[in-house]
């Protein structure tokens, strides 16, 4: 599992490299504000979307934990 909460501050090449290394589970959240960037990096990686499992929590998750 690759947690991508800090992805906006990292290069897209980091995510592309992780996918190439075999990561297949991306842990994401709407509150991170990086869904478009992650999608673009996934498309650029050439890895088939159906071979990657992505989880995402909605904004309510952050509200319940005081975020």
């Amino acid at each position: 599992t690759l947690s991508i909460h800090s992805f906006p501050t990292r290069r897209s090449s980091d995510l592309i490299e992780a996918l190439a290394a075999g990561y297949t589970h991306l842990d994401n959240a709407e509150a991170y504000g990086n869904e478009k960037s992650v999608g673009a990096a996934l498309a650029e990686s050439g890895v088939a979307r159906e071979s990657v499992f992505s989880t995402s929590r909605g904004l309510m998750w952050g509200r319940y934990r005081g975020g």
Side-chain angles (χ1 to χ4, degrees):
T1 301
L2 178 63
S3 180
I4 49 179
H5 66 278
S6 63
F7 181 68
T9 61
R10 299 173 68 183
R11 300 182 325 249
S12 63
S13 61
D14 292 344
L15 179 54
I16 293 168
E17 185 176 319
L19 290 165
Y23 279 89
T24 58
H25 182 200
L26 305 178
D27 178 31
N28 201 8
E30 185 179 1
Y32 302 159
N34 62 1
E35 291 171 322
K36 287 183 181 182
S37 300
V38 169
L42 180 58
E44 185 180 336
S45 75
V47 173
R49 173 59 186 95
E50 51 275 352
S51 68
V52 177
F53 180 73
S54 179
T55 57
S56 185
R57 293 173 293 279
L59 288 177
M60 292 303 291
W61 176 78
R63 291 185 187 126
Y64 285 121
R65 64 182 255 286

